[in-house]
Amino acid sequence: MKPRHLLCWGGYALKTHFDESEHWHGWWPWLCQVEPAALVCEVSEWEFVINTPCENAQKMYIGNAMGGNYAAVFAQLIINGSSQGPHCFIVPIRDENGGLYPGVTAIDMMHKEGLHGVDNGILIFNKVRVPRENLLDKFGSVAPDGQYHSPIKNKSARFNAMLAALTPSRLAVTFQALSAMKLGLTIAIRYSHSRRQFGPKAKEEVRIIEHQTQTLRLMPHLATVLALTFTSRYAGALLDEDIFQGKELVSSRVLQALVAGLKAYSTWENVGCLQDCRESTGGMGYMMENRISDLKCDADVFVTFEGDNVVMLQSVLHDAYDVDYEHRLLMSSFCTVATLIASKCQLQMNLISPADGAFL
Ligand SMILES: Cc1cc2nc3c(=O)[nH]c(=O)nc-3n(C[C@H](O)[C@H](O)[C@H](O)COP(=O)(O)OP(=O)(O)OC[C@H]3O[C@@H](n4cnc5c(N)ncnc54)[C@H](O)[C@@H]3O)c2cc1C
């Protein structure tokens, strides 16, 4: 990245967004095909020309599209009529006063289920010219004579290398899902320790946590969230070390697969966990002031963004067959740890005798 852009972003003076998803297809199919309807960028003598050729190539869901100054835009790089695959360009969207630059259209996508603090919009480019230095050229560059150069010859492998940059943000989504679960569980478990309902005959009412069903519903989630926290911290430490060592993220396929798996596992767990928190707090759980409904709406999108969970698991499977035995073991272990702890917890609860639970 060019120092000039770092200067803008580092000072927080200008807002940016990351534009990968398109109207016709999400970001993933780009891995394997050159879509003729995709956003394109053609090389002129001193500039790149970013163009949205049709509706299907419009950029969708773009966070901060209604206020951002710069966008990191993925577009097919076309040189002399032939595509070199998707590349990332820094495209100025608005000036410092918020006015859109000529050729740029931004449309608000309006109401969403959650995440109301950020707008999401559609971006359309009509032959927008950007300087040649705005191509992020780590994986592919264009010389002044128009010749294309890349250290990675295969187009799919090249795009894979660019997508490896999503590993840190997938880990960030994992931690956000874990935070939502911890908050939901704190609310639900505290409520369960203070709220009382019918108890054994002719005795005082008991706290609802003493009902076996209530404990069985919440404790496995608590165990899972703890196991996932330790595994995610471990993945974070590996990632930190790789970045510190200056290692290319794409070269650590095991780590990428581990993070993809953690993202899918934790965000799905989050959906089930928050629903159980909501039910475990009865009518109170439905009230906005008690935060669980907000958490549910905000965290729901985690299962599809930064890569849909089904596709994430497919990539884990794909990598699991490709890596050696020792690494395969590491990747599968995080799933088993979480499941084992959760089921062990459930087993202990089941050991309570029917007599103990007569009031249930
Ligand atoms: C609130 C929000 C914010 C967002 N912010 C941004 C942003 O700032 N920048 C950006 O670029 N994008 C952003 N996105 C887009 C987001 O990354 C995509 O929605 C996400 O990657 C899923 O892609 P898609 O919507 O095209 O789903 P689709 O690809 O249409 O998937 C729909 C279904 O098809 C299935 N499917 C798709 N492909 C396969 C396959 N290969 N194999 C099996 N099943 C498959 C999926 O599992 C899923 O069930 C945002 C989305 C939302 C909702």
Side-chain angles (χ1 to χ4, degrees):
M1 193 177 299
K2 309 293 179 286
R4 189 157 62 86
H5 298 128
L6 280 178
L7 196 71
C8 295
W9 295 355
Y12 290 98
L14 301 171
K15 292 185 256 174
T16 60
H17 35 80
F18 182 69
D19 305 359
E20 214 165 23
S21 310
E22 289 184 0
H23 191 103
W24 179 236
H25 54 70
W27 54 277
W28 194 260
W30 266 6
L31 269 181
C32 42
Q33 60 182 311
V34 176
E35 169 58 57
L39 185 78
V40 293
C41 168
E42 297 196 48
V43 186
S44 79
E45 200 174 350
W46 299 110
E47 300 160 311
F48 292 108
V49 183
I50 309 278
N51 194 39
T52 309
C54 58
E55 192 183 343
N56 288 339
Q58 295 171 356
K59 291 287 174 189
M60 285 188 82
Y61 307 109
I62 306 310
N64 208 12
M66 303 315 292
N69 298 92
Y70 284 86
V73 176
F74 273 84
Q76 299 281 342
L77 172 58
I78 295 176
I79 301 172
N80 298 329
S82 89
S83 172
Q84 295 296 340
H87 286 66
C88 189
F89 301 85
I90 301 298
V91 183
I93 302 293
R94 287 183 179 80
D95 59 29
E96 280 157 41
N97 302 318
L100 281 169
Y101 284 120
V104 180
T105 305
I107 302 166
D108 196 346
M109 289 181 76
M110 307 294 286
H111 308 294
K112 296 173 288 184
E113 180 184 335
L115 295 182
H116 300 301
V118 185
D119 62 68
N120 286 87
I122 296 171
L123 284 180
I124 304 165
F125 303 99
N126 183 12
K127 298 191 175 141
V128 174
R129 293 174 175 275
V130 298
R132 294 173 70 98
E133 61 180 22
N134 284 27
L135 166 66
L136 300 186
D137 59 3
K138 185 170 178 184
F139 299 109
S141 59
V142 184
D145 63 0
Q147 288 297 312
Y148 179 77
H149 299 277
S150 172
I152 309 169
K153 297 296 161 221
N154 180 287
K155 276 188 209 169
S156 294
R158 198 185 299 145
F159 192 46
N160 257 334
M162 294 179 198
L163 284 184
L166 288 175
T167 304
S169 51
R170 283 187 189 139
L171 192 59
V173 170
T174 304
F175 278 112
Q176 285 181 60
L178 294 178
S179 303
M181 282 189 265
K182 286 176 192 168
L183 188 49
L185 284 167
T186 305
I187 295 166
I189 293 170
R190 280 192 183 154
Y191 177 86
S192 307
H193 277 271
S194 60
R195 174 87 169 154
R196 287 177 183 271
Q197 280 292 7
F198 303 112
K201 232 177 186 178
K203 289 201 177 154
E204 262 188 33
E205 288 188 330
V206 295
R207 295 171 308 157
I208 55 174
I209 194 70
E210 287 171 42
H211 289 266
Q212 195 180 19
T213 45
Q214 187 79 354
T215 307
L216 282 180
R217 205 178 219 181
L218 295 172
M219 291 307 138
H221 288 305
L222 185 62
T224 308
V225 88
L226 288 174
L228 284 169
T229 299
F230 300 135
T231 321
S232 305
R233 283 184 189 161
Y234 170 69
L238 292 182
L239 190 62
D240 263 0
E241 188 56 27
D242 279 3
I243 292 170
F244 181 71
Q245 303 274 351
K247 211 168 144 188
E248 290 294 350
L249 290 178
V250 71
S251 61
S252 185
R253 288 185 62 191
V254 176
L255 180 58
Q256 280 185 66
L258 176 65
V259 170
L262 275 171
K263 186 267 181 192
Y265 193 94
S266 60
T267 56
W268 266 327
E269 169 66 20
N270 175 65
V271 172
C273 169
L274 290 178
Q275 181 60 27
D276 275 333
C277 292
R278 140 80 186 95
E279 291 175 31
S280 305
T281 47
M284 276 300 188
Y286 194 67
M287 306 310 292
M288 289 302 271
E289 64 176 7
N290 290 322
R291 302 182 67 187
I292 295 175
S293 24
D294 249 355
L295 286 175
K296 281 175 67 178
C297 291
D298 282 353
D300 187 31
V301 72
F302 297 161
V303 297
T304 52
F305 85 6
E306 296 297 323
D308 175 79
N309 279 0
V310 170
V311 181
M312 288 297 91
L313 290 188
Q314 283 172 340
S315 86
V316 174
L317 203 64
H318 178 265
D319 282 353
Y321 278 109
D322 257 14
V323 297
D324 57 50
Y325 179 74
E326 194 189 330
H327 283 143
R328 218 176 292 163
L329 215 61
L330 172 75
M331 273 161 45
S332 61
S333 62
F334 84 90
C335 287
T336 17
V337 168
T339 321
L340 277 179
I341 294 183
S343 50
K344 189 163 179 280
C345 185
Q346 205 149 353
L347 194 70
Q348 280 169 354
M349 296 302 157
N350 286 338
L351 289 180
I352 299 172
S353 74
D356 293 336
F359 59 86
L360 294 176

